Amino acid sequence: MKRLFKYTISIVIAAVIAVSLWLYYPTYQIQQMKEEAAPTSAQAALSYVDYFSNVDKESLNHLAIGDSIIAGFGSENEESFVDYFSRRLEEQTGKTVVLENEGILGINSTNLNTLVQTGKFDEQIKRADLITINVGGNDILETLYQGDYKNVVANFDSMRETFIKNLTAMTDRIKKENPSATIVFLEMYNPLKPSHDLYKVADQLLPKWNVKIYEVAHKYNHSIVLETTKVINGHHLQYLAPDGVHPNALGYEALSKQMLEQLKKKPFVEAV
């Protein structure tokens, strides 16, 4: 009987540890990658904004590709965070920033990757100093529309695998066309209210999605991840449009401030 009890306790403990690792290890991984990217005293002299300020060009080209977040859907003035950010970068660098916003409503990662691979953005990529990418939300929404949240949970790993293959493939293509371009990826955020039945589920799954974005950024020189979850979350619902999913004008402006803050702090160094 004692042996059976000990065996049962061991199984329970192992299950708890496994679940904890599944839920919380991605958050730990993200934090570790952020800390690895923190500047040393020797690196801190040159940030991304410093680099853009010093580059021998009168103007900077900013290409933004992706979904409705890039397009600025939900904003009362029809401007995305990339519009706000480009103006802020102009002020910081004293250079003209030419924005090419190629956001497409409803596009998923597979379709965006197809456009990148077939060369739709090649000329824009080649002349870009900065490329901002946001995609993946519609991968999840399409699965949700095919059933319910249980369908999303059941298919989460396969969705994530498809997404990361697409994101890696398009980043490979972009870096092949323009190795020196700085790329900014966006985290996926949780727009649900803390009182929502699915808030905790989404909050547990998102780090498992976002850690893969950080892993892609970690592979390439001059690639960073915009910490959207610092801006849009259950404690900052004032940044959401009436649809409860997309940012409003205040939200997009807050994202632009976060993007500039990160580019002012992050050292312009080669990836590890």
Side-chain angles (χ1 to χ4, degrees):
M1 188 68 179
K2 288 182 178 179
R3 183 177 297 178
L4 178 61
F5 178 75
K6 289 180 179 179
Y7 177 75
T8 303
I9 291 297
S10 298
I11 294 296
V12 171
I13 292 173
V16 170
I17 292 173
V19 170
S20 297
L21 286 173
W22 190 85
L23 291 176
Y24 301 112
Y25 187 61
T27 301
Y28 169 78
Q29 288 177 295
I30 290 172
Q31 187 57 42
Q32 287 296 105
M33 282 185 275
K34 287 180 183 178
E35 290 177 4
E36 287 177 18
T40 65
S41 57
Q43 296 169 343
L46 186 69
S47 69
Y48 276 80
V49 171
D50 293 330
Y51 168 76
F52 288 131
S53 298
N54 296 334
V55 71
D56 189 19
K57 298 177 67 174
E58 293 184 359
S59 63
L60 301 168
N61 290 296
H62 181 188
L63 171 63
I65 62 174
D67 54 26
S68 53
I69 303 296
I70 293 292
F73 186 86
S75 174
E76 299 89 332
N77 56 21
E78 300 183 349
E79 287 192 310
S80 174
F81 75 98
V82 291
D83 294 283
Y84 292 112
F85 170 80
S86 294
R87 290 198 292 269
R88 292 178 185 279
L89 189 61
E90 281 189 342
E91 295 170 0
Q92 290 289 318
T93 62
K95 299 179 184 293
T96 300
V97 177
V98 180
L99 172 64
E100 296 181 88
N101 189 327
E102 296 291 345
I104 301 171
L105 301 185
I107 197 166
N108 60 29
S109 66
T110 297
N111 292 335
L112 182 61
N113 183 39
T114 298
L115 293 179
V116 172
Q117 300 303 330
T118 54
K120 176 174 174 58
F121 306 117
D122 276 2
E123 293 306 310
Q124 293 162 295
I125 290 170
K126 289 174 183 176
R127 61 175 175 260
D129 299 286
L130 174 65
I131 300 172
T132 302
I133 303 173
N134 186 73
V135 73
N138 291 308
D139 296 45
I140 296 175
L141 288 176
E142 287 171 4
T143 303
L144 179 64
Y145 295 153
Q146 292 168 10
D148 56 21
Y149 78 92
K150 293 179 182 178
N151 192 43
V152 172
V153 174
N155 291 282
F156 183 82
D157 288 340
S158 61
M159 277 192 307
R160 186 182 60 172
E161 183 178 354
T162 298
F163 162 74
I164 208 62
K165 284 182 178 178
N166 287 327
L167 189 65
T168 301
M170 69 179 78
T171 307
D172 282 340
R173 174 65 184 253
I174 288 170
K175 283 297 186 179
K176 181 181 178 181
E177 295 295 325
N178 187 347
S180 64
T182 293
I183 300 179
V184 176
F185 305 97
L186 273 69
E187 290 178 335
M188 185 82 71
Y189 61 82
N190 180 3
L192 300 177
K193 298 179 180 179
S195 59
H196 196 286
D197 291 343
L198 303 181
Y199 176 82
K200 289 184 177 180
V201 174
D203 230 31
Q204 290 169 349
L205 290 178
L206 281 177
K208 292 174 64 63
W209 187 280
N210 285 334
V211 70
K212 296 300 180 181
I213 301 175
Y214 278 88
E215 287 174 356
V216 171
H218 200 61
K219 287 171 55 180
Y220 301 93
N221 286 332
H222 311 143
S223 298
I224 70 172
V225 181
L226 174 58
E227 297 177 37
T228 58
T229 54
K230 278 190 173 182
V231 177
I232 300 178
N233 52 57
H235 303 291
H236 294 107
L237 299 176
Q238 75 273 18
Y239 289 147
L240 288 174
D243 67 5
V245 175
H246 295 87
N248 55 22
L250 284 175
Y252 283 120
E253 187 170 5
L255 284 173
S256 76
K257 291 178 180 178
Q258 177 65 28
M259 186 167 170
L260 183 64
E261 179 181 340
Q262 287 185 231
L263 288 175
K264 288 174 72 175
K265 290 182 177 179
K266 186 171 175 62
F268 187 80
V269 294
E270 302 298 308
V272 178

